[in-house]
Amino acid sequence: MEIRADAETSSFSSLFAAVAYGFASMAMVFINKAVLMQYAYSMTLLTLQQLATSLLIHVGRRAGFTKARGLEMTTAKRLLPLSIFYNANVAFALASLKGVNIPMYIAIKRLTPLAVLIAGYFSGKGRPTSQVALSVILIAAGVLIAALGDFSFDLFGYSMAFVSVFFQTMYLVLVERSGAEDGLSSLEIMFYNSFLSLPFLMFLIIATGEFPKSLSLLFAQSYSFSFLMVLILSLVMGIVLNFTMFLCTIVNSALTTTIVGVLKGVVSTTLGFFLLGGVQVHALNVSGLVINTAGGVWYSFAKYQQKRSKSTKLVPDEEAHRK
């Protein structure tokens, strides 16, 4: 009975983490797009999000609201690559959103499972099944077809999105390993990530020339109530997204996090045709997005079937071992 209760609790935690990450991730795309339409300095926006995250966790720990451990230099050194990959991913993603419409951005980000599979293959996880391989090919084909029919094609934006996929893959794999090896909670990984990001981001906003222009514009825009509300929502959702992403990756796996990202993209793609400027409809563009979405759903189903077949094989083995 206790084993069954533990299994049910574990299943609920896994489901909650996946659903929460899906909603937060979907909302964040639209919120960031809304901010960037009024405030073009993406690196400064990311810096503000990371500063808000680290301050909130630090104050919460000091006030006793969280049991997260304090900063340890040995752990910080181990997690430095994670922080670099995470910030590179978000920085390139924000840069791509300035030139790429939301449906195409989501379609390109659906290539993350392909990158995760390639990374897994080279790290010794073996070859994917035929269904997984075919679904990933379908996703890639959909991106290519949709791009051919994209009237608002922006080479710089597309390049930034593809680079973002690479860095997202790297940090997802590192988060999975860090949580397992170091025994860190999602909140602790989140704190280290945001804290270690700040020097790197401060250097970037100065080196790229965003500062002090971005600060002047921020003060000027702060008189607009609508902008202020969207900015605050962006900072809050940045914290929520980071927490749910790390939680989903630790409780489930890096692959599960990418699958959730693919599935939430179905809704985001549909909404993206109508919200925040919308998209010029073209047969190729729509067809490519449909193919890309179908490939994403097929991929998710194939991975679910694969995981289910593994778990059913484990049960008889455990029973035989008990006998």
Side-chain angles (χ1 to χ4, degrees):
M1 290 296 289
E2 288 181 5
I3 295 171
R4 184 177 292 179
D6 290 340
E8 287 176 359
T9 304
S10 177
S11 298
F12 176 77
S13 299
S14 299
L15 181 63
F16 172 78
V19 172
Y21 169 67
F23 276 109
S25 180
M26 181 172 64
M28 198 61 184
V29 172
F30 290 95
I31 292 167
N32 277 337
K33 182 72 173 179
V35 174
L36 291 171
M37 287 174 73
Q38 303 176 65
Y39 185 77
Y41 296 107
S42 57
M43 294 301 298
T44 304
L45 176 62
L46 177 57
T47 305
L48 290 172
Q49 288 174 347
Q50 296 292 54
L51 181 62
T53 301
S54 55
L55 283 175
L56 185 66
I57 296 173
H58 177 70
V59 171
R61 187 174 62 83
R62 287 284 186 179
F65 293 121
T66 172
K67 294 179 181 179
R69 288 171 286 181
L71 190 70
E72 295 176 3
M73 288 309 296
T74 51
T75 306
K77 287 177 182 177
R78 282 201 301 270
L79 292 180
L80 185 60
L82 166 69
S83 181
I84 292 171
F85 284 128
Y86 172 83
N87 284 284
N89 162 55
V90 179
F92 282 108
L94 288 173
S96 71
L97 273 173
K98 289 191 283 187
V100 178
N101 59 65
I102 289 175
M104 279 309 306
Y105 168 81
I106 293 166
I108 295 170
K109 293 293 276 184
R110 281 201 191 105
L111 293 173
T112 304
L114 170 61
V116 170
L117 284 174
I118 293 171
Y121 175 74
F122 283 108
S123 63
K125 287 189 176 180
R127 292 184 179 181
T129 63
S130 56
Q131 278 205 56
V132 170
L134 289 171
S135 63
V136 166
I137 291 170
L138 199 64
I139 290 170
V143 171
L144 181 62
I145 295 167
L148 292 173
D150 185 10
F151 287 113
S152 59
F153 181 83
D154 185 299
L155 181 60
F156 176 78
Y158 270 66
S159 302
M160 294 298 98
F162 279 116
V163 175
S164 173
V165 167
F166 167 76
F167 284 114
Q168 184 179 9
T169 302
M170 296 306 296
Y171 85 68
L172 281 174
V173 172
L174 284 174
V175 166
E176 189 177 1
R177 289 179 180 175
S178 299
E181 291 175 5
D182 298 329
L184 297 171
S185 69
S186 53
L187 199 66
E188 287 166 341
I189 292 179
M190 187 175 157
F191 174 71
Y192 276 104
N193 179 60
S194 58
F195 179 79
L196 293 170
S197 300
L198 293 174
F200 173 67
L201 291 172
M202 291 297 291
F203 170 77
L204 280 180
I205 62 174
I206 294 170
T208 56
E210 279 199 14
F211 184 83
K213 294 177 185 177
S214 58
L215 200 61
S216 302
L217 181 60
L218 185 64
F219 282 123
Q221 288 279 60
S222 62
Y223 290 101
S224 168
F225 179 76
S226 60
F227 172 76
L228 204 58
M229 288 299 99
V230 174
L231 179 63
I232 292 171
L233 188 60
S234 172
L235 297 180
V236 172
M237 285 305 298
I239 296 169
V240 174
L241 176 61
N242 286 343
F243 178 76
T244 54
M245 179 198 67
F246 291 136
L247 181 66
C248 183
T249 307
I250 292 171
V251 172
N252 297 298
S253 67
L255 193 57
T256 301
T257 305
T258 60
I259 290 172
V260 173
V262 167
L263 293 177
K264 63 90 185 175
V266 177
V267 180
S268 301
T269 300
T270 306
L271 293 174
F273 273 98
F274 310 103
L275 300 178
L276 302 175
V279 182
Q280 286 182 280
V281 178
H282 185 278
L284 273 175
N285 187 243
V286 175
S287 300
L289 290 172
V290 169
I291 292 169
N292 177 269
T293 303
V297 173
W298 185 14
Y299 170 83
S300 302
F301 177 75
K303 293 307 295 182
Y304 170 76
Q305 290 286 90
Q306 187 178 341
K307 190 174 182 180
R308 191 178 176 184
S309 64
K310 283 183 180 178
S311 63
T312 52
K313 284 179 183 177
L314 284 172
V315 173
D317 289 342
E318 288 177 4
E319 289 178 355
H321 181 70
R322 285 173 187 171
K323 289 176 183 177

